[in-house]
């Protein structure tokens, strides 16, 4: 898969711009304040949302926003609420692969993006302003983020700092514990790249039984040196405590720890697995959240979010407005996953592959862990 494909414009068929008249509606202060229960990831990411659009929206509308940190899988939580007939979540931050499943199960609303979302400042409709293939039927992206491996620079000599994903699998030259997410996603991709597969060929190889076996065989070589994490706050802490030398993590968590907490962390951008993250609307909640959704996904708000965390905005019109980390002179563009040198060997996460294969590969991964 060509990485540049992600950034070509796409047209969403059937969209009727302005059908709901939301450009006027979203500029007006709500006649009656709402309490919006918004589910997101917590940590530095939720803080970036709070600063970039939650606080401005509450000031503008009079609404109250209750931030709910997701624990576990948001799709499973939404299913449970729906089955109980008591959906208390109004808007949910969800990954595209989970959104595909939730949409197919009728748990979330289909969205007419050009009617519901703001145009770019120059009038470009959302269907042309959001990055290619990002506006799925029930999904609105907000950021491009990356799954990366970082390391603690103090645990290696200055003249022998790791730089590739293969180094993560090289226990002889780069000793020490690793911490990796307790899921097959990302780990299988990295194992294949470390074993010599080109990033653009990873999913073609994983489509085969031989490819999956090859990935697990490569993971076998470091299995005894891995601490498996399940919460995003764990890798930075393990790295800071020097309990591990390497840790897979979300790039924003590592940037936050390095920039705001002065931790000696460096990101290995080689073979980063990048993906989108964004919003889904639980069934029956669209009328309640549509004004907020219009506001929170406009060009300025997505550019503003990049002042607080090193995730790239999902709108092309926002990218040119990215400046510095709030309160500092740190230029944010070099810390974005999509920055040229960082992006050279990037792997676009194949959401269709994982939607089709996640259950089977997770079972196999858990069985492998138990061996």
């Amino acid at each position: 898969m060509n990485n540049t494909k992600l950034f070509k414009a796409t047209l969403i068929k059937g969209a009727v711009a302005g059908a709901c008249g939301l450009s006027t509606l979203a500029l007006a202060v709500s006649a009656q304040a709402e309490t919006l229960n918004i589910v997101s990831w917590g940590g530095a990411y939720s803080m970036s949302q709070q600063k970039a659009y939650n606080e401005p929206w509450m000031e503008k509308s009079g609404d109250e926003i209750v931030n709910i940190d997701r624990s576990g899988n948001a799709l499973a939580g939404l299913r449970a609420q729906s089955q109980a007939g008591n959906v208390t979540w109004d808007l949910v931050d969800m990954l595209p692969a989970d959104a595909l499943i939730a949409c197919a199960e009728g748990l979330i609303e289909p969205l007419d993006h050009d009617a519901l979302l703001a145009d770019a400042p120059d009038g470009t409709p959302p269907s042309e302003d959001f990055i290619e293939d990002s506006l799925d039927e029930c999904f609105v992206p907000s950021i491009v983020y990356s799954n990366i491996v970082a390391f603690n620079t103090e645990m290696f000599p200055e003249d022998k700092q790791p730089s590739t994903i293969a180094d993560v699998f090289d226990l002889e030259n780069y000793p020490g514990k690793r911490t990796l997410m307790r899921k097959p996603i990302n780990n299988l991709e990295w194992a294949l790249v470390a074993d010599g597969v080109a990033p653009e060929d990873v999913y073609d190889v994983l489509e085969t039984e031989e490819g999956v076996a090859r990935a697990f065989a490569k993971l076998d070589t470091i299995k005894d040196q891995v601490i498996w994490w399940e919460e995003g706050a764990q890798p930075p802490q393990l790295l800071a405590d020097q309990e591990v030398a390497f840790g897979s993590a979300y790039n924003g968590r590592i940037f936050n720890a390095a920039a705001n907490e002065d931790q000696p962390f460096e990101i290995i951008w080689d073979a980063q697995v990048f993906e989108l993250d964004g919003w889904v609307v639980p069934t029956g909640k669209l009328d309640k959240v549509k004004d907020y959704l219009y506001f929170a996904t406009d060009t300025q708000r997505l550019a503003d979010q990049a002042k607080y965390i090193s995730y790239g905005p999902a709108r092309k019109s926002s990218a040119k407005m990215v400046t510095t980390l709030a309160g500092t002179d740190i230029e944010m563009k070099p810390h974005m996953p999509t920055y040229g040198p960082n992006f050279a060997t990037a792997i676009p996460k194949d959401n269709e592959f994982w939607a089709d294969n996640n259950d089977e590969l997770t079972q196999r991964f858990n069985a492998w862990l138990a061996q």
Side-chain angles (χ1 to χ4, degrees):
M1 189 180 296
N2 190 334
N3 292 338
T4 59
K5 181 182 175 185
L6 184 67
F7 295 97
K8 297 176 183 176
T10 186
L11 295 175
I12 305 297
K13 297 180 180 179
V16 182
C20 296
L22 286 173
S23 59
T24 299
L25 206 118
L27 293 174
V29 175
S30 299
Q32 183 174 356
E34 295 272 13
T35 297
L36 305 180
N37 295 316
I38 297 181
V39 179
S40 190
W41 295 89
Y45 185 59
S46 288
M47 182 276 291
S48 73
Q49 294 174 317
Q50 181 73 6
K51 293 292 186 183
Y53 34 85
N54 288 356
E55 289 178 2
W57 178 251
M58 287 189 287
E59 182 178 353
K60 175 186 180 66
S61 67
D63 288 351
E64 178 186 358
I65 292 176
V66 177
N67 290 301
I68 301 171
D69 290 354
R70 48 185 291 172
S71 57
N73 185 285
L75 175 59
L78 196 54
R79 275 187 186 133
Q81 290 192 10
S82 179
Q83 290 167 1
N86 183 29
V87 179
T88 59
W89 294 349
D90 298 318
L91 193 66
V92 181
D93 196 300
M94 187 176 281
L95 299 176
D98 286 344
L100 286 172
I101 298 169
C103 193
E105 294 181 8
L107 299 172
I108 55 179
E109 294 274 2
L111 305 171
D112 185 344
H113 300 97
D114 279 350
L116 286 168
L117 306 179
D119 291 343
D122 66 359
T124 301
S127 55
E128 297 179 34
D129 191 39
F130 282 84
I131 56 180
E132 184 196 11
D133 296 334
S134 64
L135 292 170
D136 288 334
E137 181 183 359
C138 299
F139 176 79
V140 180
S142 53
I143 54 98
V144 180
Y145 77 98
S146 186
N147 300 276
I148 50 80
V149 177
F151 63 95
N152 187 316
T153 61
E154 294 180 349
M155 298 182 70
F156 301 101
E158 289 186 10
D159 62 345
K160 198 175 182 181
Q161 300 279 298
S163 61
T164 70
I165 208 68
D167 294 340
V168 180
F169 287 77
D170 185 349
L171 295 174
E172 180 178 353
N173 291 303
Y174 299 97
K177 293 282 188 179
R178 282 79 166 129
T179 185
L180 301 174
M181 183 168 59
R182 194 184 180 92
K183 288 185 178 181
I185 295 172
N186 306 322
N187 292 318
L188 297 183
E189 288 95 327
W190 288 330
L192 288 178
V193 173
D195 203 44
V197 176
E200 62 269 22
D201 296 331
V202 161
Y203 289 106
D204 289 338
V205 175
L206 275 181
E207 288 280 5
T208 68
E209 169 56 30
E210 294 80 7
V212 173
R214 181 178 175 182
F216 276 106
K218 189 65 176 179
L219 284 171
D220 271 331
T221 66
I222 61 170
K223 182 179 180 182
D224 291 343
Q225 294 298 310
V226 175
I227 297 172
W228 301 99
W229 64 265
E230 298 186 64
E231 299 293 336
Q234 291 175 267
Q237 190 61 57
L238 289 167
L239 284 167
D241 294 342
Q242 297 195 9
E243 292 187 39
V244 300
F246 293 93
S248 71
Y250 308 119
N251 74 287
R253 295 263 188 176
I254 297 300
F255 173 81
N256 181 67
N260 296 320
E261 300 169 15
D262 201 30
Q263 293 290 349
F265 300 164
E266 290 285 347
I267 289 175
I268 296 174
W269 288 105
D270 182 43
Q272 59 154 305
V273 181
F274 72 93
E275 59 183 311
L276 300 159
D277 187 62
W279 299 113
V280 299
V281 181
T283 300
K285 301 288 187 171
L286 184 57
D287 283 344
K288 185 175 182 180
V289 301
K290 62 186 178 183
D291 292 355
Y292 170 87
L293 187 63
Y294 179 101
F295 177 83
T297 60
D298 72 13
T299 295
Q300 186 63 60
R301 253 45 64 180
L302 296 190
D304 286 347
Q305 189 172 2
K307 296 177 183 178
Y308 304 100
I309 199 162
S310 57
Y311 296 150
R315 278 185 179 262
K316 289 176 282 186
S317 61
S318 301
K320 65 188 72 172
M321 299 168 65
V322 173
T323 56
T324 59
L325 178 66
T328 77
D329 59 359
I330 298 174
E331 290 289 337
M332 292 300 287
K333 287 180 183 178
H335 299 284
M336 298 289 168
T338 50
Y339 179 64
N342 301 343
F343 208 59
T345 58
I347 302 170
K349 180 185 173 187
D350 190 326
N351 291 305
E352 290 189 7
F353 172 86
W354 282 110
D356 291 341
N357 297 285
N358 185 55
D359 289 346
E360 178 184 347
L361 288 176
T362 296
Q363 290 178 1
R364 185 165 177 173
F365 182 79
N366 290 335
W368 172 78
L369 284 178
Q371 292 173 357

